[in-house]
Structures are given as C-alpha cells and as structure tokens.
Amino acid sequence: MTALAAEVPTPEISHEHGSRTITALEGAWAAIRARHPEVPHVLMITGTGQSRTGITWGHFGERRWTVETEEGTVAGRTHELFAGGELLSLGGLRTMQTLLHEAAHALAHVRGIKDTSSGHRYHNRRFVELAEELGLAGPASPVPTHGFNACTITDITAQRYAAVISELDAARLPYVHHPLAAVLGQGTRPTAGGEGTTEGGEAPEPGGEGEGQQPGGDAPKEPKKRPTRFLVICECIERDEDGTPKLGRDGKPKPGRAVQVSRKSWEFGGSDGGMMCGRCNQPFRKANPDA
C-alpha cells in the first residue's frame, strides 16, 4: 500500500444492518396485523432468495421455530416469515406486496384453508380470496405450475399502507443484488447495482446456488426456453353422461382431445400447425399459446 493510498479515509459503514432490516420488516408486518388481527405473529428472517429455479421473494413457514421460557422449558412454536434480500432491492411498494402475499398464506393456515397444492407451488382460487381480503388483486387467469400466484397490490391498498411503504423506501435497507430482480419482480426502487466492495474492503465473490424455493414462496421463475413438445387441442369438449360439459380448474370446459406434438411437426404445417380434427372439423391449436 502506498503512502498516498494510506491517507485516503475509509468511509464509516454501519454494522447494524441486520437488526435495522429486521426491525423495518417487523414494522411492516405489524401494520398488516393492525388491520387484520387474525394474521398471526411471525419470526422475521431474511437472506438471499436465489436458487436453481429462480428468486424466492418471500415465504411463510408454519410453526418452524421453538420458543422457550426463561426457565428453559418449551413454551411453544412460532411461524417463520422470510423476506428475500433481492426483494428489498425492489422498493417499499413491492416489498409490501410480498408481505401481504405471505400474510394470505398465514391467514390460510390460521383458518385451516388449503390454499396451495403440488408441493405448495400451485396457488388456487381460495388463495386469491384471502389475498383479495388483505388488499391484493388476483390475476384474471392461472398460469402453469404457480396457478393464481401473481396477485398484485391495489392502489387503494397502497394508499392504506402509504406511511409504511414510505418508511421502507426512506430506510434504504441493504439488499442482495441480482441483475434480473428488477425485471422479474417489477420493482420501483433505483439501486446502485452489485458493484463495489464488501465492508471488509475485499471484492465480493460470486454467490453460490441457493437451497431452492420454499413452500408457498412468492417466486416467479426466470424465463425458460420454449419446450420442444407441447399439447394441442381442438373444439371437442369432454362431457358427462347427460351431455353436460366437464369443467377444469380454471372453470372452462375440458378439452375432449389433447394431443402432444413436437415443435418440428407443428411448424411443418405452418405457423398454425395445419392440423384438423376429424370429429369437430376444426383446426387444432396450442393449449398454451406461449408454447
């Protein structure tokens, strides 16, 4: 180190980041409970939400932590609420949205409502009802794997929690940088990115793979490549013995025919596949238009 370099002052950095972050998140959760007392108390934790499958913004874990009395006996168990460090990079509004999302899961636990399936990944209509009760707006239709997961905070709800959202933004909480976080999470907080040095003065090393998404997590996945095979359907409808159309989970009639084809075979017939059903005399179309 040169004499000149030794004279450059090192800016003092607070080392109370953990307690400051948890305190801010606990304050936001308390604001939710003030309006919805049925939402339970939680033990708030944070950390990176990165995994092999994407970014976990948050998750609610039932009765994960054991609480002891002053005498050392078990007093009971309490719930866990995780808020990802990547979430904090998105600003107070997006953070509040995730906390309300996880509060809906917590409320489902309290009321004994099964709001998810498929390993807690698929969010059903019962989850949407709880989310809307807390001030979120449910999506118009479900998506594969996650169902009705993408509930968003409404303008009215944002106004109700305006003071809390402003406090989260003003706190400028530390966050975990991820280049896709702002794109996937649709955040509003402008951040400085991941450049710079750690508090110890050394360059940060690349982060490793995470544990994987937690049950009930509000975690959109990174975009995947288009599948090489997909389902195509026609206008045929599956019916009961009395002729009544059978309905799927989305409330729409179940297709009577669903055929898996390769992308190569489909595109051989043109952009629309060029396949006709001999029963209904209508063309086949992709079951998932994005496939």
Side-chain angles (χ1 to χ4, degrees):
M1 180 181 296
T2 64
L4 179 61
E7 296 174 358
V8 177
T10 301
E12 183 176 350
I13 302 176
S14 171
H15 290 266
E16 298 178 353
H17 296 321
S19 59
R20 187 165 68 88
T21 300
I22 295 300
T23 298
L25 292 171
E26 287 178 336
W29 190 260
I32 295 174
R33 294 195 68 254
R35 290 184 174 274
H36 306 277
E38 201 174 352
V39 173
H41 290 282
V42 296
L43 190 152
M44 190 72 66
I45 66 171
T46 188
T48 179
Q50 297 178 40
S51 71
R52 293 180 178 85
T53 53
I55 303 174
T56 296
W57 307 122
H59 75 249
F60 169 76
E62 305 168 4
R63 297 170 53 82
R64 296 221 176 150
W65 292 77
T66 299
V67 181
E68 292 188 346
T69 65
E70 293 182 358
E71 291 75 25
T73 59
V74 176
R77 300 180 69 85
T78 191
H79 312 299
E80 173 183 284
L81 198 290
F82 169 83
E86 293 79 7
L87 171 68
L88 301 180
S89 74
L90 304 180
L93 181 64
R94 185 60 178 79
T95 298
M96 202 67 202
Q97 176 179 298
T98 289
L99 293 180
L100 288 166
H101 179 115
E102 302 309 328
H105 287 305
L107 197 56
H109 168 71
V110 170
R111 296 179 180 176
I113 297 173
K114 184 175 176 59
D115 62 336
T116 60
S117 58
S118 299
H120 300 281
R121 292 188 302 274
Y122 190 92
H123 292 56
N124 57 37
R125 291 184 183 276
R126 290 184 289 276
F127 170 78
V128 176
E129 292 174 0
L130 294 169
E132 290 179 342
E133 180 180 335
L134 294 178
L136 301 180
S141 59
V143 297
T145 306
H146 291 291
F148 295 91
N149 178 60
C151 295
T152 55
I153 191 168
T154 65
D155 291 340
I156 294 177
T157 304
Q159 292 174 7
R160 289 173 181 165
Y161 292 103
V164 180
I165 293 171
S166 295
E167 288 175 3
L168 289 171
D169 284 331
R172 302 299 297 180
L173 298 176
Y175 57 88
V176 177
H177 173 70
H178 190 290
L180 290 178
V183 177
L184 296 175
Q186 300 178 350
T188 57
R189 172 183 175 181
T191 62
E195 300 299 327
T197 59
T198 64
E199 291 184 357
E202 299 175 356
E205 297 180 359
E209 292 286 344
E211 289 287 329
Q213 293 184 357
Q214 299 294 325
D218 171 24
K221 294 184 178 180
E222 296 182 22
K224 295 182 178 179
K225 294 181 179 179
R226 294 196 302 171
T228 58
R229 301 182 68 83
F230 48 83
L231 289 177
V232 296
I233 58 177
C234 59
E235 296 301 322
C236 292
I237 296 175
E238 188 176 347
R239 300 177 183 274
D240 292 324
E241 294 181 357
D242 61 358
T244 304
K246 292 184 178 181
L247 303 180
R249 288 190 299 184
D250 59 358
K252 299 179 180 179
K254 287 185 176 181
R257 306 184 72 183
V259 183
Q260 190 176 67
V261 300
S262 68
R263 184 172 301 281
K264 182 177 180 181
S265 296
W266 179 260
E267 293 179 349
F268 181 81
S271 59
D272 59 357
M275 297 174 60
M276 297 289 293
C277 174
R279 184 180 180 87
C280 66
N281 294 320
Q282 295 296 318
F284 279 92
R285 66 184 186 279
K286 295 179 180 179
N288 179 4
D290 297 328

